[in-house]
Amino acid sequence: MADFEPTIIAFVCNWCTYTAADLAGTSRLTYPRNVRLIRVMCTGMVDPQYVVKAFLAGADAVLVSGCHPGDCHYINGNFKARRRIKLLKEILPRFGFDEGRLRLTWIGASEGVDFAHTMTQLVDEVRALGPNDVRSQMVL
Amino acid sequence: MAKIAKIEVTDSNPLTSLKGFFKSLLETGELKGLMVPQHLPMKNVVMPTLVTDPEKLEGADPLAPVFPLNAAKLVGRLTRKPLHGSVAAVLRPCEIRAFIELVKLKQGSMEEVVLVGVDCPGAYSNVNYPRFAGENRDDATLKFLGSALDGGSTAFEDFDISTACMACEHPVPRNADLSIGLFGVDVNKELIITANTDKGEDILDKVGLSAAEEPGAREGAIAALVEKRTAYRDRMFEETSEATSDIEKLNNYLASCVNCYNCRVACPVCYCRECVFLTDAFDHEPVQYLSWAKGKGMLKMPTDTVFFHLTRLVHMSTACVGCGQCSNACPNNVPVVELFKTLASYTQKAFAYEAGRSPEEEPPLSVFHEAEFPEVTGGKH
Ligand code: SF4
Ligand code: SF4
Ligand code: FES
């Protein structure tokens, strides 16, 4: 398991977490390359179906990250996202998905350091969890 | 508010009396039409019919132990725009619950419909009902009622009422304007009609039935039935959770699914005009299939089976009313309702929601509070 490199799919909001990722880059902060960012206009547009797809396609973890409460550019997209993640956390673990593989965080545009730190920590935690069983068990 | 009346039953035939009641409902002149399941004239198939002529009710039989589809969608179609007058719809409890969900999803309206709910002792699948009834129409229904009511058996030859019905904890209609009571009632002598709303009371007054009391045995009969079904349901939850507790088991559970999507078409609360699974998002590139196959050297076709079911679970399990039409429609005996009802029990509980319980409760994914579910973000608001 030592050489296990997790794949993490992160749906990040254009206005905050994606900007924070940019900031992390321009500030020359490093974070693991395991995280694949998918930029969305708001966490409120992340259909829970996208998260399901990411897991079934073999992602070892999925992160949804957007603006802090009160800062969503579409007023309440992040609150809607929180309910959808709550819903997924009710459903997916019943089929054996480890709850820790699904995360929701709020990372604001100026929080480049927080972004790099959160990604590093997440990758470490998922590495400890080991690969998502779906990788070996799904024949689609 | 509840006002109770009774329909006298003659010749021990509650169906004849019920038809008489529907006729008098139409004859009040208050209704533009009445939707009620009928044995069709051409074949012994029971389908919802929309009746405007009080003389066209000979086949009416909302007590036949079958409902080929959940009529909530049809009531939605009837009420989605103003009719400038009322219609009544005779429905099973799960059809009313599904209709309530559709109304909340703006797929129908309660404004101009009088909901007439009937106590439901359960129904056979579309495949088994003809085996039970053959060419017998009312007689088959009377035979079923004779044994099913008040704790009797519903089994026939090698089958029974559907799993959804066995596991149904809501056999008595809620949110009906008028409800027709069978449990704990001597249906060979009378049927009990309760008006639960002003709308129901207005029309019941015009029919002019004599007032009645709720029979003493009713409460106990309902409690006993609900207890039996709840016990069955809880066993089903346990067995289904166990049978799907990891992804390999879930694959196994869904193995005979052919992605026909009949379950989605039959589901009353899956209301999207165009399901995402029918869009070009799922017209995968031919080379994509090959690349998937290369991953493990083999690819099951059709693809996206587990994805389809998981998507439906995330999209609509909070609205699932457990009617069982998904299983009824499945050509391959996939235990669909077991999976959906089990997961729905978890997702609805997570949002303190119950599908069909109340028109006032907002669907959980259409609302939010600013501070809630702190556990989702690791304790941070
Ligand atoms: S998923 Fe099945 S049981 Fe649930 S509402 Fe749809 S058809 Fe009825
Ligand atoms: S579960 Fe049954 S009805 Fe639903 S898509 Fe699969 S085969 Fe069709
Ligand atoms: S705009 Fe960032 S979460 Fe809505």
Side-chain angles (χ1 to χ4, degrees):
Chain A
M1 203 59 58
D3 55 357
F4 164 60
E5 282 301 333
T7 303
I8 295 174
I9 300 297
F11 295 96
V12 294
C13 163
N14 176 60
W15 305 106
C16 25
T17 308
Y18 186 81
T19 311
D22 233 8
L23 180 62
T26 47
S27 317
R28 300 191 172 269
L29 296 168
T30 55
Y31 68 92
R33 63 178 70 190
N34 308 64
V35 186
R36 316 285 153 86
L37 298 184
I38 296 179
R39 178 165 60 143
V40 294
M41 289 310 283
C42 172
T43 55
M45 66 154 287
V46 179
D47 187 321
Q49 184 190 26
Y50 303 168
V51 175
V52 168
K53 175 67 190 177
F55 278 124
L56 291 180
D60 296 299
V62 175
L63 170 74
V64 176
S65 186
C67 310
H68 286 276
D71 290 350
C72 171
H73 287 50
Y74 308 95
I75 304 171
N76 52 33
N78 48 2
F79 293 134
K80 291 176 183 158
R82 183 168 54 196
R83 284 211 161 201
R84 293 177 191 143
I85 301 296
K86 168 75 182 164
L87 175 79
L88 284 160
K89 280 181 178 280
E90 251 344 286
I91 295 179
L92 295 177
R94 308 274 172 186
F95 304 118
F97 292 85
D98 193 306
E99 220 207 304
R101 295 183 190 276
L102 175 58
R103 299 290 176 90
L104 175 68
T105 59
W106 313 133
I107 300 174
S110 61
E111 299 172 325
V113 175
D114 191 21
F115 176 83
H117 174 74
T118 306
M119 298 306 132
T120 309
Q121 204 180 359
L122 179 59
V123 171
D124 284 349
E125 284 168 23
V126 176
R127 196 176 275 125
L129 282 175
N132 173 4
D133 288 344
V134 170
R135 278 209 199 181
S136 54
Q137 289 172 353
M138 281 298 291
V139 236
L140 255 101
Chain B
M1 164 139 56
K3 185 167 177 177
I4 306 179
K6 69 177 173 201
I7 311 176
E8 305 280 352
V9 170
T10 46
D11 302 328
S12 302
N13 190 331
L15 268 183
T16 311
S17 312
L18 209 48
K19 288 176 209 185
F21 172 66
F22 295 145
K23 186 162 183 270
S24 48
L25 272 182
L26 270 180
E27 283 170 347
T28 59
E30 298 290 306
L31 298 172
K32 289 205 158 180
L34 174 86
M35 205 175 105
V36 63
Q38 296 217 43
H39 297 273
L40 298 182
M42 48 284 198
K43 192 176 178 202
N44 187 19
V45 163
V46 181
M47 281 289 166
T49 58
L50 180 62
V51 182
T52 51
D53 178 351
E55 300 308 319
K56 296 282 181 187
L57 285 159
E58 310 89 71
D61 184 1
L63 308 180
V66 66
F67 67 129
L69 43 70
N70 187 312
K73 262 188 187 164
L74 302 175
V75 185
R77 296 201 76 79
L78 260 181
T79 61
R80 69 187 179 93
K81 286 186 178 169
L83 275 171
H84 309 294
S86 290
V87 289
V90 185
L91 299 169
R92 288 176 188 272
C94 61
E95 293 177 308
I96 296 181
R97 285 185 289 120
F99 180 61
I100 302 269
E101 288 305 299
L102 287 180
V103 169
K104 291 194 267 191
L105 296 163
K106 315 275 185 280
Q107 305 298 307
S109 157
M110 295 177 72
E111 289 291 311
E112 294 183 307
V113 65
V114 178
L115 297 173
V116 183
V118 190
D119 277 0
C120 180
Y124 298 119
S125 70
N126 291 357
V127 173
N128 286 333
Y129 174 72
R131 292 177 59 201
F132 171 76
E135 284 312 304
N136 298 322
R137 295 170 177 237
D138 291 9
D139 289 348
T141 301
L142 294 175
K143 175 174 131 192
F144 176 76
L145 289 179
S147 69
L149 288 177
D150 303 322
S153 167
T154 47
F156 181 75
E157 293 179 356
D158 59 346
F159 58 86
D160 207 328
I161 55 172
S162 74
T163 309
C165 298
M166 300 273 254
C168 171
E169 65 285 71
H170 300 299
V172 174
R174 296 182 298 181
N175 296 304
D177 296 297
L178 291 176
S179 38
I180 300 175
L182 308 175
F183 301 125
V185 177
D186 184 354
V187 298
N188 292 322
K189 295 212 177 69
E190 62 182 23
L191 294 169
I192 297 295
I193 314 276
T194 310
N196 308 298
T197 60
D198 292 344
K199 208 196 282 184
E201 211 170 296
D202 284 350
I203 194 151
L204 194 59
D205 284 346
K206 299 220 167 63
V207 176
L209 296 170
S210 45
E213 303 261 297
E214 184 165 286
R218 183 160 166 76
E219 215 183 294
I222 294 171
L225 181 63
V226 170
E227 190 185 315
K228 181 169 140 196
R229 291 190 170 176
T230 307
Y232 184 97
R233 179 200 70 181
D234 292 345
R235 270 201 311 282
M236 179 185 97
F237 285 170
E238 250 173 64
E239 286 166 15
T240 309
S241 300
E242 176 50 39
T244 56
S245 64
D246 63 37
I247 197 75
E248 194 173 6
K249 288 190 190 168
L250 182 65
N251 261 309
N252 196 33
Y253 191 90
L254 298 169
S256 53
C257 174
V258 295
N259 292 39
C260 68
Y261 307 145
N262 284 0
C263 47
R264 175 187 61 75
V265 176
C267 177
V269 298
C270 250
Y271 66 94
C272 293
R273 285 279 170 110
E274 189 180 31
C275 177
V276 61
F277 282 87
L278 302 179
T279 64
D280 52 11
F282 287 85
D283 288 343
H284 307 305
E285 291 299 320
V287 292
Q288 172 75 73
Y289 291 105
L290 281 177
S291 116
W292 278 330
K294 272 190 194 142
K296 296 223 175 63
M298 173 185 122
L299 174 72
K300 183 198 81 102
M301 307 264 284
T303 56
D304 303 307
T305 306
V306 174
F307 188 25
F308 164 68
H309 288 282
L310 285 177
T311 297
R312 222 164 74 78
L313 283 170
V314 293
H315 282 170
M316 53 58 66
S317 67
T318 52
C320 171
V321 296
C323 67
Q325 288 298 350
C326 43
S327 284
N328 200 7
C330 178
N332 293 309
N333 292 322
V334 176
V336 196
V337 65
E338 286 85 338
L339 180 64
F340 278 74
K341 188 166 164 129
T342 301
L343 266 292
S345 77
Y346 302 135
T347 58
Q348 293 179 19
K349 192 161 167 238
F351 295 103
Y353 185 78
E354 194 187 306
R357 179 167 56 192
S358 151
E360 268 80 55
E361 282 176 303
E362 300 277 5
L365 294 173
S366 68
V367 287
F368 56 83
H369 299 294
E370 294 196 0
E372 61 178 357
F373 309 122
E375 73 281 7
V376 171
T377 42
K380 284 187 277 180
H381 271 308

